[in-house]
Amino acid sequence: MVTLLNTVRQADKRPRHPEKARLPDTPVMRKPDWIRVRAPGTNAFGATRETLRRHGLHTVCEEAACPNIGECWSKRHATVMIMGDVCTRACAFCNVATGKPAHLDPAEPARTADAIAELGLAHVVVTSVDRDDLADGGASHFAQTITSIRHAAPKTTVEVLTPDFMRKPGALEIVLEARPDVFNHNVETVPSLYRRIRPGADFSHSVSLLRQAKRFDPSIFTKSGIMVGLGETDDEVEGVMDALREADVDFLTIGQYLQPTRKHAAIDRFVTPERFAGYKRLAEAKGFLLVASTPLTRSSYHATEDFERLKAARLASLRA
């Protein structure tokens, strides 16, 4: 069970979240029995970590304190986080460091591709911090990374989990022209909580981004996800489902919010596995090709297996 209470960056002892330093501590709720994670397997976990370190890569698995890191790295699965480990946004739920990012590393796309080839990944998820400081939000860096992966590991399918590219006209098209297999952008929470949980973002814009991606390339799989336990109602969760289906999103993920530190947004409730199963049935009835809805579901969790399920679901729908 994971709740990280250390707000100091281990590498340099600077505050990880300087914008949250003066906030009052929020309560940390005791986790129920169904929030469990596996201890990492020593050999494969260590080998994955060593490969990523040697290539100088960041992962959202570490930076966002993902509870599934032990299981995923033991299977040699990792979600690469490009464009550094410092974000220009300060979302109330996120454990990624906030501040002024460094300049882009032009060698990072090639290093990323080499690591993926070495790990022998069938499917990879590439995400990033928000880079509002860049003219294109980092879209060209995403495109270069996709192209490098295609060259170094031609059999690997590529899923991108991008920022919202707010006020970055043409950025989405730059990413999509590189032809990722899956375009993912998480709406994260319900519209009523955006000002408190996801400041600087806009729910309508995020939904529009997903809609535009599908219109640009109808063959691409689109994906989005939300966390629950932040204060939303079940009716609001259903409203998000409807908005995403209206945007023709194929794959929905729903997982439990877990509080990274006492300076982050407090957990409002622990949603039961039965309620997650209910969300899944409801979303499937609305027409999503695939729905992952469990307490430990995260956007990249079981991404390789889910990509195969997505393809199978699309084929089944075409035959129907």
Side-chain angles (χ1 to χ4, degrees):
M1 296 184 286
V2 177
T3 297
L4 299 184
L5 301 181
N6 181 12
T7 60
V8 177
R9 303 191 70 193
Q10 295 301 316
D12 51 25
K13 303 302 181 184
R14 289 178 297 168
R16 188 179 185 91
H17 303 287
E19 80 290 349
K20 295 179 173 65
R22 296 184 180 180
L23 296 177
D25 286 355
T26 54
V28 176
M29 293 178 66
R30 183 188 177 105
K31 292 183 178 65
D33 291 341
W34 61 78
I35 301 290
R36 298 179 182 275
V37 295
R38 299 179 183 178
T42 54
N43 294 332
F45 180 92
T48 301
R49 179 171 56 187
E50 190 277 330
T51 298
L52 295 166
R53 295 283 191 277
R54 181 159 31 82
H55 289 279
L57 302 180
H58 300 290
T59 68
V60 76
C61 321
E62 295 173 287
E63 300 299 333
C66 180
N68 302 313
I69 186 171
E71 178 184 350
C72 293
W73 282 24
S74 294
K75 295 179 178 178
R76 299 179 71 82
H77 296 170
T79 299
V80 179
M81 190 171 76
I82 59 175
M83 296 192 280
D85 62 347
V86 178
C87 188
T88 55
R89 305 258 180 112
C91 295
F93 65 86
C94 184
N95 198 49
V96 174
T98 300
K100 183 178 179 179
H103 293 295
L104 289 182
D105 179 356
E108 185 181 52
R111 292 202 318 274
T112 300
D114 289 343
I116 289 163
E118 184 176 331
L119 288 168
L121 301 184
H123 183 81
V124 65
V125 181
V126 178
T127 189
S128 78
V129 291
D130 273 287
R131 292 297 303 259
D132 296 315
D133 58 310
L134 301 174
D136 68 353
S140 297
H141 205 73
F142 263 105
Q144 291 164 18
T145 302
I146 296 166
T147 300
S148 295
I149 294 169
R150 298 292 192 211
H151 177 74
K155 294 183 180 179
T156 301
T157 50
V158 181
E159 177 175 333
V160 293
L161 171 55
T162 76
D164 60 13
F165 298 127
M166 182 78 79
R167 292 180 288 277
K168 308 293 182 184
L172 174 65
E173 291 77 8
I174 290 171
V175 175
L176 295 177
E177 283 169 358
R179 301 296 177 186
D181 298 283
V182 181
F183 177 80
N184 186 355
H185 171 68
N186 287 332
V187 295
E188 306 290 9
T189 189
V190 301
S192 68
L193 296 180
Y194 258 56
R195 181 172 294 182
R196 177 168 67 88
I197 300 301
R198 202 181 172 211
D202 178 81
F203 179 81
S204 296
H205 172 80
S206 286
V207 173
S208 177
L209 191 78
L210 291 155
R211 182 185 300 110
Q212 291 171 42
K214 182 65 81 171
R215 288 176 178 173
F216 182 92
D217 182 2
S219 69
I220 199 170
F221 290 106
T222 52
K223 178 178 176 181
S224 189
I226 62 169
M227 301 166 290
V228 290
L230 283 161
E232 71 293 322
T233 67
D234 285 348
D235 285 344
E236 287 180 308
V237 173
E238 183 173 2
V240 169
M241 293 179 189
D242 289 336
L244 293 176
R245 279 307 300 139
E246 188 276 330
D248 204 18
V249 169
D250 298 302
F251 184 7
L252 173 66
T253 62
I254 309 174
Q256 172 71 51
Y257 166 63
L258 295 177
Q259 183 179 354
T261 77
R262 290 191 174 97
K263 299 298 184 183
H264 287 76
I267 297 173
D268 176 75
R269 60 173 175 153
F270 281 107
V271 178
T272 66
E274 292 77 19
R275 181 65 266 182
F276 275 104
Y279 289 150
K280 179 179 173 67
R281 289 191 295 271
L282 180 61
E284 288 174 339
K286 291 179 182 294
F288 289 97
L289 281 181
L290 193 65
V291 181
S293 177
T294 71
L296 288 175
T297 290
R298 296 296 182 268
S299 189
S300 308
Y301 191 39
H302 294 160
T304 302
E305 299 90 335
D306 285 339
F307 181 65
E308 294 303 316
R309 294 187 185 101
L310 265 178
K311 291 190 293 183
R314 175 173 285 176
L315 284 174
S317 69
L318 292 174
R319 294 191 192 105

